[in-house]
């Protein structure tokens, strides 16, 4: 079993910052890529950011490029999402995901494990 636990969500004003964390535990493969997705009410889950095992293969959604930064600490089995210049449209439940294999992917169906999600609310 693999468990992913997100933390760091909350309420922030537009223009503010939040840092999400996702700690992985359990029977992970020797190398695994990790990603962040989000879902707001009435919308499908959408890709936010992803990083390969070695962080040499990183992707961002166009909507967050230049504002969000994904990073990971493999020694701690943790991935982070630093979110700056937040906008009301960033309001969503943010999910951490992990996939077996080195390379990152942008599609949710490529991921094997999911966290329970953390709420991010940006007020205007």
């Amino acid at each position: 079993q693999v468990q992913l636990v997100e933390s760091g969500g909350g309420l922030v004003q537009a223009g503010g910052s939040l840092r999400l964390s996702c700690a992985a535990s359990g029977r992970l493969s020797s190398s695994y890529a990790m990603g962040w997705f989000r879902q707001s009410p009435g919308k499908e889950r959408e890709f936010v950011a992803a990083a390969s095992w070695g962080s040499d293969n990183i992707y961002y959604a166009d909507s967050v490029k230049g504002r969000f930064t994904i990073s990971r600490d493999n020694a701690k089995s943790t991935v982070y999402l630093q979110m700056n210049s937040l906008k009301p449209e960033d309001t969503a439940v943010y999910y951490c995901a992990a996939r077996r294999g080195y390379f990152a992917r942008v599609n949710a169906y490529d991921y094997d494990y999911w966290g329970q999600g953390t709420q991010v609310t940006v007020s205007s």
Side-chain angles (χ1 to χ4, degrees), residues 8-85:
L11 173 64
V12 64
Q13 289 189 333
S17 298
L18 281 175
R19 188 193 196 204
L20 304 183
S21 299
C22 173
S25 62
R27 292 190 169 188
L28 291 159
S29 57
S30 58
S31 61
Y32 52 95
M34 298 194 75
W36 288 96
F37 293 76
R38 65 187 182 186
Q39 187 168 19
S40 51
K43 294 186 177 181
E44 293 187 354
R45 190 168 298 189
E46 65 172 352
F47 169 75
V48 176
S52 61
W53 169 256
S55 298
D56 52 346
N57 172 222
I58 290 181
Y59 298 110
Y60 294 101
D62 288 342
S63 59
V64 306
K65 205 171 291 184
R67 300 188 298 123
F68 290 11
T69 302
I70 187 171
S71 62
R72 58 188 298 169
D73 184 339
N74 291 339
K76 296 181 179 179
S77 299
T78 301
V79 64
Y80 305 96
L81 186 67
Q82 177 67 43
M83 305 186 295
N84 298 328
S85 302

